[in-house]
Amino acid sequence: GLYLLAALLLVPVADLRGRPALAARAFLGSGAALLASRGPDPVLQNMGLYLYGEYDRSRVLEETAAIHIQEGVSSNVMVLVLRNGQTSLRVNGKVDASNSRDMPMQLGLAYLPRFLRPGAREILVIGLGSGTTSGASLLFPETRVTCAEIEPAVAEATTFFEAVNHKPLASPRFTLALEDGRSLLAGSRTRYDLILSEP
């Protein structure tokens, strides 16, 4: 809009016949500036339309409430609550965790590997999500959990899942590493008993 306005101001008009064209450009420029100033709806922008398809805008706004939206370093993070109380964490629009349909996977990722390594003490979780997998892993005595999370905004969003995640960030046996999981493993001398990742 500003480029268009600058172009209009710099267009030379030699005679009065150029005035209608200049007025038309000014009208178009003003319209473009108004559209640009309106800005996108942050909720719809973070709904993952590229992945889940088009939404009925009015239905989405009636049935959901965005309680947290943050533009992070590498991702946009949104916590969305449905009217029925289901809460979901969306990273760049994709649902990465929730307190409903994702719970079996989030808890299963913490519990099922224990059948293979019941004495596991050093756990690495790749990706924090809602914090449920890390929190469930900390329920086992003498267990230390390190979580590699590349996006700091995700860590802030876990506070909205404290009813199901057992507050891993508050545990002295939990370490949050704000880096890529592969980089963490490459630069660490720690040997982990379990490495948990939900791709």
Side-chain angles (χ1 to χ4, degrees):
L2 291 174
Y3 280 123
L4 205 55
L5 183 60
L8 289 172
L9 293 173
L10 296 173
V11 169
V13 178
D15 57 13
L16 292 176
R17 288 177 292 181
R19 298 286 177 202
L22 184 61
R25 291 185 196 130
F27 179 74
L28 290 172
S30 299
L34 284 172
L35 285 174
S37 67
R38 184 171 170 243
D41 182 337
V43 175
L44 289 176
Q45 189 179 21
N46 288 287
M47 288 298 290
L49 300 178
Y50 68 94
L51 183 62
Y52 303 115
E54 188 61 45
Y55 284 88
D56 176 358
R57 178 184 295 249
S58 60
R59 197 184 113 246
V60 166
L61 297 176
E62 284 175 14
E63 296 182 4
T64 61
I67 58 174
H68 178 78
I69 299 176
Q70 185 175 356
E71 188 173 324
V73 176
S74 64
S75 307
N76 284 356
V77 176
M78 178 170 73
V79 178
L80 199 67
V81 178
L82 297 176
R83 193 183 311 173
N84 63 8
Q86 292 180 4
T87 304
S88 64
L89 171 71
R90 291 176 181 253
V91 178
N92 286 336
K94 180 190 174 296
V95 177
D96 274 354
S98 74
N99 66 353
S100 56
R101 291 187 295 183
D102 293 291
M103 288 302 288
M105 176 60 74
Q106 294 169 138
L107 293 171
L109 191 60
Y111 298 146
L112 291 178
R114 292 288 179 156
F115 289 109
L116 301 173
R117 299 292 303 267
R121 295 292 177 259
E122 287 289 339
I123 312 293
L124 175 64
V125 178
I126 308 292
L128 183 59
S130 67
T132 301
T133 299
S134 293
S137 296
L138 286 166
L139 295 177
F140 291 89
E142 299 176 27
T143 298
R144 288 185 300 279
V145 175
T146 301
C147 181
E149 174 55 59
I150 200 165
E151 178 52 63
V154 171
E156 293 181 36
T158 61
T159 59
F160 297 98
F161 295 90
E162 289 181 348
V164 294
N165 70 11
H166 304 286
K167 302 179 184 179
L169 296 173
S171 173
R173 295 181 288 123
F174 179 77
T175 302
L176 180 63
L178 293 173
E179 64 178 296
D180 178 70
R182 182 178 181 275
S183 300
L184 176 70
L185 282 169
S188 174
R189 294 181 180 212
T190 304
R191 294 185 56 86
Y192 295 99
D193 300 316
L194 288 174
I195 299 174
L196 309 177
S197 177
E198 180 190 346

